[in-house]
Amino acid sequence: MTEAGGDLLLDGFDLSRDDGLETAVIISLFTDRRAEPDQIPPELPQDDLRGYWGDVQPSVEGDRTGSLLWLLAREKQLPQTLARAEQYCRDALAWMIEDRVATRIEVAASYHSKSWMLIVVDLYRPQGERVQYRYNYEWSAQAAKRAA
């Protein structure tokens, strides 16, 4: 049993492939970015800053992979929590604008149901088309698993 998971899409007996854009979005949003000590809420372990191992020696100084969505693990369903989630997502995806993968990124977060947040990401490609991804993010269950 794993603490987090995802779905694999099969194409015959092989994994289905995409152009890599959604994979980049998933890695950007759902990899735990390293937090600064002052960003850790008091209810979370103060010595767990997390972080992506590849950021130890990034190819571009200051580049950091992932998002701080994990900091919302014990937050209540409040408008402020949605605003923070949206900002964390925008920060995590900002590299796509810098690297000209997208010209604009819009993020909207809403409460889908108890303990579930719906995150909608609209990416505007340089050619002008809009690509939309939707993710259900369960955070309170993750907190319960870590506390156990």
Side-chain angles (χ1 to χ4, degrees):
M1 175 180 262
T2 62
E3 287 190 14
D7 295 323
L8 298 176
L9 184 61
L10 297 177
D11 183 10
F13 292 106
D14 201 0
L15 291 175
S16 182
R17 298 174 190 217
D18 65 10
D19 65 358
L21 182 61
E22 185 171 19
T23 300
V25 170
I26 290 169
I27 290 170
S28 296
L29 293 180
F30 302 115
T31 297
D32 293 347
R33 178 178 282 194
R34 185 169 181 83
E36 298 298 326
D38 63 339
Q39 293 176 303
I40 307 294
E43 64 273 8
L44 293 179
Q46 297 300 297
D47 60 344
D48 183 8
L49 302 177
R50 303 224 185 153
Y52 173 62
W53 64 269
D55 288 344
V56 172
Q57 291 202 347
S59 57
V60 176
E61 186 66 34
D63 268 2
R64 292 168 66 188
T65 302
S67 77
L68 294 173
L69 285 172
W70 66 273
L71 291 175
L72 303 176
R74 295 184 186 252
E75 295 286 333
K76 294 180 180 177
Q77 288 184 306
L78 300 171
Q80 304 91 299
T81 306
L82 291 176
R84 286 179 54 207
E86 289 171 354
Q87 187 59 53
Y88 291 159
C89 291
R90 282 191 294 272
D91 292 346
L93 298 169
W95 71 268
M96 292 186 160
I97 293 174
E98 294 167 12
D99 289 0
R100 298 186 179 120
V101 174
T103 57
R104 186 171 93 220
I105 298 170
E106 295 175 0
V107 177
S110 61
Y111 293 114
H112 181 61
S113 63
K114 185 178 180 183
S115 302
W116 285 90
M117 182 183 296
L118 174 65
I119 299 171
V120 179
V121 176
D122 287 320
L123 294 174
Y124 293 85
R125 301 295 302 239
Q127 303 80 10
E129 82 247 31
R130 176 181 66 103
V131 181
Q132 185 176 82
Y133 299 109
R134 300 167 61 89
Y135 303 102
N136 289 323
Y137 185 65
E138 178 187 24
W139 72 92
S140 63
Q142 294 172 352
K145 288 177 188 173
R146 281 196 297 275

